Amino acid sequence: MTNKLEAGQIIEGKVTGIQPYGAFVSVDEETQGLVHISEITHGYVKDINEHLSVGDEVKVKVINVDEERNKVSLSIRATEEAPKANTEKPKKQAASTESNDTAGFNTLKDKLQEWIKQSENK
């Protein structure tokens, strides 16, 4: 069955089935492997059906071949370039040196004084 497949190979396959945990991909007439949901694409995948459909032609990388169990683990994600991480840190706003009575918690402070007066009147 899997004599010609080796870990690290990149091959073409066809999606033959989709389950909540992954997609089954046929790589030839005899061999079918599983692309686990975590190996569909970079990032979080909530629903595989948003990324793949039965009959789709996909490029997969062989991750593992288990001869004893007759299982082949595949990855679509490993054939794609990872998105570049945003290495820029967000710029912090400069703190205002002006005193502004309507900014921040000043409104709450004013409201607190009003509430204290209301409770004293009761």
Side-chain angles (χ1 to χ4, degrees), residues 3-116:
N3 291 339
K4 55 191 166 201
L5 290 179
E6 293 179 15
Q9 279 183 305
I10 295 178
I11 52 179
E12 294 285 326
K14 188 176 201 173
V15 178
T16 57
I18 294 178
Q19 294 295 321
Y21 53 85
F24 290 95
V25 176
S26 175
V27 293
D28 62 30
E29 297 83 29
E30 306 166 359
T31 311
Q32 183 169 294
L34 175 68
V35 179
H36 187 267
I37 190 170
S38 64
E39 294 294 333
I40 299 291
T41 188
H42 296 278
Y44 178 73
V45 175
K46 182 176 183 177
D47 183 5
I48 295 173
N49 293 298
E50 294 175 1
H51 300 273
L52 296 173
S53 299
V54 173
D56 285 354
E57 295 285 335
V58 291
K59 189 186 325 182
V60 293
K61 182 173 185 175
V62 178
I63 297 176
N64 186 30
V65 178
D66 187 344
E67 292 285 341
E68 291 176 13
R69 293 183 171 164
N70 240 8
K71 291 186 178 182
V72 179
S73 299
L74 305 170
S75 174
I76 296 171
R77 180 176 79 159
T79 65
E80 301 170 346
E81 188 173 321
K84 296 195 187 282
N86 187 0
T87 56
E88 272 187 44
K89 291 184 180 178
K91 296 179 182 176
K92 293 182 181 178
Q93 283 185 325
S96 175
T97 55
E98 297 177 23
S99 175
N100 186 350
D101 289 336
T102 60
F105 290 100
N106 291 337
T107 305
L108 182 60
K109 178 181 158 192
D110 296 339
K111 200 67 172 165
L112 182 60
Q113 292 301 321
E114 182 182 323
W115 293 332
I116 291 172

